[in-house]
């Protein structure tokens, strides 16, 4: 499962220097293409609702072999999302389009970082490809 942050549906309207200047539709198309090339099956999901995000994490318990998460601003404070991710017994990759380590102080905190088998930060849309490659490699082992 690839779950994406609040406001990612507005990605094409956000600062292209930070977020890559790509629309959500184009990003999902790339993710599906990359997954196909790697022999992976993915489900892309985006929501602006924290409760729905938690429900998707619970749903993934029944079928996901790995999860790519981009909790966006929830990264910095949502223990509800953290607790939902903690239940997963599969590798989790935390992705951020922008480099949160070089932005405002409050963005440098991630309440999900310790759950992540891998973190991909500041690589724009290509960060999702790196995350998929990591999960595909994990599955092959």
């Amino acid at each position: 499962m690839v779950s994406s942050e609040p406001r990612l549906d507005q990605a094409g309207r956000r600062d292209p220097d930070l977020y890559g200047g790509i629309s959500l539709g184009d990003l999902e198309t790339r993710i599906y293409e990359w997954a196909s090339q790697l022999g992976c099956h993915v489900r892309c999901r985006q929501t602006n609702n924290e409760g729905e995000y938690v429900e998707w994490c619970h749903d993934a318990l029944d079928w996901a072999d790995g999860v790519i998460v981009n909790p966006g601003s929830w990264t910095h404070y949502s223990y509800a999302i953290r607790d939902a991710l903690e239940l997963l017994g599969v590798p989790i990759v935390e992705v951020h389009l922008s480099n949160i380590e070089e932005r405002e102080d409050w963005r440098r905190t991630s309440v999900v970082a310790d759950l992540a088998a891998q973190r991909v930060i500041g690589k724009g849309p290509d960060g999702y490809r790196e995350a998929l490659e990591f999960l595909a490699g994990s599955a092959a082992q």
Side-chain angles (χ1 to χ4, degrees):
M1 176 177 76
V2 178
S3 60
S4 296
E5 67 177 285
R7 299 171 323 285
L8 196 59
D9 59 332
Q10 301 301 312
R13 298 176 179 199
R14 297 172 77 186
D15 184 345
D17 292 332
L18 289 175
Y19 301 105
I22 188 172
S23 72
L24 177 61
D26 289 341
L27 176 60
E28 288 181 346
T29 297
R30 286 186 189 180
I31 290 169
Y32 287 120
E33 288 172 357
W34 293 329
S36 178
Q37 292 167 4
L38 294 166
C40 301
H41 172 74
V42 298
R43 294 182 193 175
C44 291
R45 296 178 165 179
Q46 188 282 326
T47 185
N48 295 319
N49 181 301
E50 185 177 9
E52 186 171 33
Y53 199 101
V54 168
E55 290 296 326
W56 290 343
C57 293
H58 293 167
D59 177 60
L61 288 166
D62 296 326
W63 61 267
D65 294 325
V67 176
I68 298 171
V69 297
N70 179 346
S73 58
W74 294 322
T75 301
H76 317 297
Y77 67 87
S78 179
Y79 288 96
I81 288 175
R82 188 204 185 287
D83 288 350
L85 290 172
E86 189 173 31
L87 294 173
L88 296 170
V90 298
I92 298 169
V93 180
E94 179 185 356
V95 172
H96 296 280
L97 297 173
S98 69
N99 187 340
I100 62 173
E101 301 295 332
E102 294 179 357
R103 296 186 63 192
E104 303 91 340
D105 286 342
W106 64 270
R107 289 188 194 271
R108 296 175 189 172
T109 298
S110 170
V111 300
V112 301
D114 65 314
L115 301 176
Q118 178 81 0
R119 297 180 80 210
V120 183
I121 298 171
K123 297 189 177 179
D126 290 336
Y128 284 93
R129 180 177 181 89
E130 186 174 323
L132 285 166
E133 289 170 347
F134 175 83
L135 290 177
S138 295
Q141 294 177 358

